[in-house]
Amino acid sequence: MSRLELKIPPPVVTLLVGTAMWAAARGLPQWTTPLPARGFVAGALGLVGIVLVAACAWQFRRAGTTVDPMHPQKASALVDTGLYRFSRNPIYLGDALVLVGWAWWLGNVASFAGIVVFVAYLNRFQIEPEERALRAAFGSAFDAYRARVRRWI
């Protein structure tokens, strides 16, 4: 299983899960239900997710460190300010919000399962290896950050 660690870029994982959510909605139309304010809620969640991702990427660039999730060992700074005071993974939280918006738009109960799959996959194959690399690079500073800031929210 460790061969999957850091192998699929998180934006690709987001697209794959989103596609699977669409396929589930198409394959199980009987599980589709009208949701209140479908377009507004879906759009708002998606927009918040995209803004969150962009703001966090900007924080990484401003700190002069890599935003590349496939090579966390290249991190030159531990970003623990701004949005990173509230979540160790706000970019992935933004991706998850985009998927929640997509599920809301699809209005299919089965499509919401994709969010669970996304979070489980990222926790195991992306975040855990990232955190090992950050621990190796930043030692006790990362341990202190990890102790005070939750993984997601």
Side-chain angles (χ1 to χ4, degrees), residues 85-137:
R85 290 178 300 150
F86 308 105
S87 171
R88 295 194 314 260
N89 298 285
I91 290 177
Y92 302 148
L93 180 59
D95 292 339
L97 285 173
V98 168
L99 290 175
V100 172
W102 179 232
W104 196 269
W105 175 257
L106 293 170
N108 186 280
V109 175
S111 65
F112 281 92
I115 299 153
V116 175
V117 171
F118 176 78
V119 169
Y121 181 90
L122 254 62
N123 276 336
R124 171 61 186 90
F125 297 110
Q126 188 65 42
I127 295 171
E128 287 180 12
E130 281 180 6
E131 290 190 343
R132 284 194 304 270
L134 293 173
R135 171 68 172 86

Side-chain angles (χ1 to χ4, degrees), residues 23-34 107-110:
R26 294 275 298 195
L28 297 165
Q30 67 274 22
W31 289 17
T32 299
T33 184
N108 186 280
V109 175

Side-chain angles (χ1 to χ4, degrees), residues 60-83:
F60 270 46
R61 292 196 193 284
R62 187 170 158 210
T65 192
T66 183
V67 73
D68 180 1
M70 305 312 292
H71 300 98
Q73 69 279 6
K74 293 182 180 179
S76 59
L78 180 61
V79 179
D80 61 357
T81 59
L83 295 165

Side-chain angles (χ1 to χ4, degrees), residues 25 50 71 129 146:
I50 290 167
H71 300 98
R146 186 176 175 188

